[in-house]
Amino acid sequence: MADLKVHNLKKSFDGNDIIKGIDLDIRDREFVVFVGPSGCGKSTLLRLIAGLEEVSSGRIELDGRDITDVSPAKRDLAMVFQTYALYPHMTVRKNMSFALDLAGADKQEVARKIEAAARTLELEPLLERKPRQLSGGQRQRVAIGRAIVRNPKVFLFDEPLSNLDAALRVQMRLELSRLHQELQATMIYVTHDQVEAMTLADKVVVLNGGRIEQVGSPMELYHNPANLFVAGFLGTPKMGFLKGRASRVEASGCEVELDAGCRLFLPVSGTTLNAGDPVTLGIRPEHLNRGSEGNCQLTVKADVSERLGSDTYCHVVTGNGEQLTMRIRGDFTPRYGESLSLTLEAAHCHLFDSNGVAVGQSLQLAA
Amino acid sequence: MLTLKQSRRLNTLVVGLFAWAIALLLFFPIFWMLLTSLKTEIDAFATPPQLIFTPTLENYLQIQDRSGYFKYAWNSVTISFGATALGMLIAIPAAYSMAFYETKRTKGTLLWMLSTKMLPPVGVLVPIYLLAKQFGMLDSRAVLIIIYTLINLPILVWMIYTYFKDIPRDILEAARMDGATLMQEMVRVLLPISKGGLASTMLLSLILCWNEAFWSLNLTSSNAAPLTALIASYSSPEGLFWAKLSAVSTLACAPILIFGWISQKQLVRGLSFGAVK
């Protein structure tokens, strides 16, 4: 069991508030990802949980035990650092056994644990090598191995893949996912890469400016972003935004008149909007269609296109200068400057009020 | 016109010659001292200086007879090693806290420490002499160990601080996560990683202590006098004996030169952080 609870956690450095009151509940065996732009406080939050930074106020509990003022060593957590932080003067075996040796564990027991971890991570042939003789991916695996042998209650990962090249990062991402399934351990993972967040997490915590913007499963966040920040942060390419005005508000939804020049009815319930309120409409690249069928048509100019083979990301500009990205089949590429007509799928549009907060519950299909 | 390859070769040659010229220039006084120490007093005084002569070891034998070289050498050894050990014992924790727990005043403290090196030693000679006298420590090795430790401390702290600065915090934090106490973190992780830097710092401290003359001349007379004091005793009222002075200087320099030569490798090896990036 490893339930981690964070209550109203705050941290300030030299009078600057970095973490501004965070409440979080992490359940046993969950893979939780903290994601956000750089400087949002995600690494600081992880270091507070690890005990490497002192908490300014608030409480951290692990399985009901208050660990706010407990030293890092006694928290029963293991951490994998971005720079791997292997001990350069020790062999891989020594690196992995260091914590157990310090704890005075039985020698045979230590050896058995190292063999087991080395087998899981395919490190067996490297046990007698020094860190500098290893590649980046191997070092990363040693760092993970060092955490595994301790059998901690919670694994903490601080941007562990950001020093690897793109191909290796994808591979290690899969390995981490598999490891989580095998170990059935609670893991907290910090990244600025929203693809890692989407692919690895059971639960994503989106942070911005020291606050939590939204917590939820990757799909919840993708389909029902709580605000403009989350909507714009998750998803590649980014969600497109169009400015407009609520022209008619009913119980069953809201009609929006876009500045770009069309009108559409969105089936959002429980809206607090009044007619005439400024709104922002969000639409993901995959929900913009070419053609003239549909309830809202826009005439746009094609900007540059990015061809990925399977898909083409076509950047377009509306009549009033707003930019959108459209995901289309790979075999079509509009000419630069070509005029296109697009339709928006009303069921997949997101509506945000003037404060950037999502309006009502979007009635859309997550399937 | 020179081809690119030729001009590169020429460059290498010029730089090489220049390096040799400087090296020879630096080595010449030592060479001349060694040469003079092997002459008789008459040969040593000859003008123009003689390059061809019958070498003799007589000067060296006389020095041992007259002064007992080994007593002075032993003083030099104990004082240098004692002051270095004591200095490291203080400098390592100081540098650790400055490098890894930096505060707003750390930079200021470091500069202030270094600024004490700008004080002319003679400016504090009288108070220190009187203090040593009060405590009955004149002509004792302990007083030199304390003084040398203190005058070298700023340099030791600075050097170790810069070596520690290069060590990624993550490694120490990893040790802390692994359950290491402060002492274990230092002894099992920090010191082994920075052993190259620590060795060069110790070497520098040894050399500085070995060569120090001002305080040893002023605070010691016979019991605790190190080799620097022995050399000075040969520029005596009886007149200058060039050959003997050279011989005693050679004997004083030799141990530290040989020591430096042996540990040269350790000095240049430098630090490598294979575990980082």
Side-chain angles (χ1 to χ4, degrees):
Chain A
M1 276 292 287
D3 282 317
L4 190 83
K5 285 193 172 67
V6 172
H7 299 285
N8 197 21
L9 199 66
K10 290 182 184 163
K11 174 70 185 174
S12 44
F13 289 106
D14 301 330
N16 295 324
D17 296 335
I18 305 298
I19 300 289
K20 300 169 185 165
I22 283 190
D23 289 287
L24 193 61
D25 205 340
I26 294 168
R27 261 166 289 159
D28 190 31
R29 294 176 192 186
E30 246 179 349
F31 197 122
V32 178
V33 176
F34 296 167
V35 67
S38 42
C40 71
K42 56 192 187 300
S43 276
T44 308
L45 180 58
L46 190 79
R47 291 170 59 82
L48 287 169
I49 293 172
L52 294 171
E53 301 285 353
E54 245 171 77
V55 170
S56 298
S57 76
R59 200 166 74 249
I60 306 169
E61 275 176 29
L62 183 61
D63 287 342
R65 181 171 77 115
D66 187 344
I67 56 165
T68 317
D69 298 314
V70 174
S71 78
K74 301 216 167 75
R75 291 190 181 201
D76 218 349
L77 311 169
M79 183 149 164
V80 176
F81 292 82
Q82 182 180 357
T83 56
Y84 322 137
L86 300 179
Y87 310 122
H89 58 298
M90 297 183 194
T91 60
V92 169
R93 184 189 296 278
K94 274 272 167 208
N95 260 286
M96 284 163 70
S97 71
F98 187 67
L100 301 174
D101 290 343
L102 287 178
D106 174 54
K107 283 219 157 45
Q108 284 181 332
E109 179 70 9
V110 172
R112 199 186 53 75
K113 279 186 175 165
I114 288 173
E115 297 300 334
R119 210 172 312 125
T120 314
L121 296 166
E122 292 167 27
L123 287 171
E124 283 156 312
L126 308 174
L127 281 175
E128 305 311 322
R129 293 213 197 154
K130 290 269 178 75
R132 65 170 168 277
Q133 297 165 299
L134 305 177
S135 69
Q138 290 168 334
R139 286 177 198 172
Q140 187 53 267
R141 289 215 293 274
V142 176
I144 295 169
R146 192 166 67 176
I148 290 177
V149 293
R150 292 182 51 199
N151 193 23
K153 283 191 169 165
V154 181
F155 285 86
L156 309 176
F157 295 92
D158 189 5
E159 308 214 16
L161 306 185
S162 50
N163 282 358
L164 302 176
D165 64 49
L168 204 52
R169 203 176 307 159
V170 174
Q171 189 198 330
M172 284 303 292
R173 206 165 70 202
L174 288 173
E175 284 185 31
L176 275 174
S177 224
R178 198 169 298 132
L179 201 67
H180 178 236
Q181 296 301 328
E182 279 172 24
L183 297 174
Q184 290 290 311
T186 311
M187 294 183 172
I188 304 177
Y189 187 103
V190 165
T191 181
H192 61 265
D193 181 349
Q194 47 102 5
V195 177
E196 279 173 27
M198 294 293 287
T199 51
L200 286 168
D202 295 323
K203 186 194 266 179
V204 179
V205 178
V206 182
L207 290 155
N208 185 31
R211 285 206 173 82
I212 293 181
E213 293 281 355
Q214 195 175 0
V215 180
S217 77
M219 286 305 129
E220 267 169 47
L221 264 54
Y222 189 78
H223 291 300
N224 291 314
N227 51 47
L228 274 175
F229 179 83
V230 178
F233 190 77
L234 292 180
T236 347
K238 275 176 65 165
M239 184 187 278
F241 295 112
L242 296 169
K243 293 243 177 277
R245 204 161 277 283
S247 54
R248 188 158 52 86
V249 182
E250 289 173 11
S252 62
C254 167
E255 191 187 54
V256 176
E257 191 179 342
L258 295 174
D259 297 352
C262 84
R263 221 174 247 267
L264 83 166
F265 186 80
L266 300 179
V268 288
S269 65
T271 162
T272 52
L273 287 173
N274 296 313
D277 283 354
V279 292
T280 305
L281 182 127
I283 180 111
R284 293 213 181 269
E286 60 267 35
H287 298 137
L288 276 171
N289 298 321
R290 213 150 46 90
S292 49
E293 275 158 42
N295 45 12
C296 180
Q297 288 177 27
L298 288 177
T299 310
V300 295
K301 254 197 175 76
D303 191 4
V304 290
S305 296
E306 296 171 296
R307 283 191 283 184
L308 304 180
S310 59
D311 295 303
T312 297
Y313 295 147
C314 174
H315 301 275
V316 298
V317 184
T318 62
N320 60 332
E322 289 171 310
Q323 296 197 339
L324 290 173
T325 306
M326 178 169 60
R327 195 174 93 191
I328 44 182
R329 290 243 314 273
D331 48 12
F332 172 76
T333 311
R335 270 179 294 110
Y336 179 79
E338 186 181 336
S339 191
L340 299 170
S341 78
L342 299 184
T343 58
L344 276 59
E345 294 172 27
H348 289 119
C349 287
H350 303 263
L351 196 60
F352 303 94
D353 66 15
S354 54
N355 296 321
V357 177
V359 175
Q361 189 72 50
S362 230
L363 303 175
Q364 55 187 253
L365 317 165
Chain B
M1 276 296 281
L2 291 172
T3 65
L4 191 65
K5 206 172 172 186
Q6 280 170 326
S7 82
R8 260 197 205 142
R9 207 174 284 170
L10 191 71
N11 262 341
T12 319
L13 189 74
V14 171
V15 170
L17 282 176
F18 197 64
W20 272 103
I22 289 182
L24 285 175
L25 198 68
L26 289 174
F27 178 68
F28 183 77
I30 297 171
F31 168 74
W32 198 249
M33 176 178 81
L34 191 68
L35 214 62
T36 311
S37 75
L38 298 171
K39 294 177 180 174
T40 61
E41 289 295 350
I42 296 162
D43 285 344
F45 265 106
T47 28
Q50 288 181 331
L51 277 173
I52 295 164
F53 58 92
T54 329
T56 166
L57 283 175
E58 200 189 331
N59 295 316
Y60 290 92
L61 296 173
Q62 276 191 18
I63 284 161
Q64 179 54 23
D65 279 352
R66 194 175 118 185
S67 333
Y69 167 78
F70 288 106
K71 189 185 91 183
Y72 292 91
W74 180 242
N75 281 340
S76 273
V77 168
T78 47
I79 292 166
S80 303
F81 278 85
T84 299
L86 190 61
M88 295 299 279
L89 216 58
I90 301 169
I92 289 173
Y96 172 85
S97 77
M98 287 186 191
F100 299 112
Y101 297 93
E102 199 159 340
T103 67
K104 275 178 267 177
R105 288 182 203 87
T106 301
K107 276 269 139 65
T109 312
L110 276 167
L111 278 173
W112 169 77
M113 286 182 70
L114 203 66
S115 74
T116 61
K117 294 295 289 177
M118 296 168 197
L119 186 79
V122 72
V124 288
L125 174 60
V126 175
I128 286 184
Y129 184 88
L130 291 177
L131 272 173
K133 197 177 157 200
Q134 275 306 311
F135 286 101
M137 291 175 89
L138 282 177
D139 200 18
S140 72
R141 284 181 290 202
V143 74
L144 284 189
I145 289 177
I146 293 168
I147 298 272
Y148 289 2
T149 302
L150 293 177
I151 60 177
N152 288 335
L153 207 52
I155 295 175
L156 299 197
V157 173
W158 260 96
M159 277 184 77
I160 300 172
Y161 170 79
T162 52
Y163 289 120
F164 282 179
K165 265 285 182 203
D166 281 344
I167 293 173
R169 272 183 85 102
D170 283 1
I171 293 182
L172 300 185
E173 286 178 346
R176 227 167 293 160
M177 294 293 299
D178 272 349
T181 61
L182 182 64
M183 203 62 191
Q184 286 168 326
E185 182 188 320
M186 287 240 250
V187 174
R188 299 187 61 166
V189 179
L190 182 63
L191 298 189
I193 296 177
S194 43
K195 63 173 187 246
L198 295 177
S200 12
T201 310
M202 281 168 77
L203 196 67
L204 183 77
S205 166
L206 282 176
I207 293 170
L208 289 174
C209 294
W210 191 275
N211 295 341
E212 206 289 328
F214 180 77
W215 293 106
S216 64
L217 285 174
N218 283 301
L219 298 177
T220 64
S221 53
S222 59
N223 284 334
L227 286 170
T228 42
L230 175 68
I231 299 177
S233 74
Y234 273 81
S235 61
S236 61
E238 303 149 38
L240 280 176
F241 295 92
W242 290 118
K244 281 191 201 63
L245 194 59
S246 295
V248 77
S249 299
T250 308
L251 280 176
C253 298
I256 204 75
L257 267 181
I258 294 166
F259 187 72
W261 194 285
I262 294 168
S263 45
Q264 180 162 237
K265 233 185 200 159
Q266 181 63 290
L267 269 177
V268 294
R269 187 181 289 150
L271 305 172
S272 54
F273 296 115
V276 186
K277 299 198 179 175

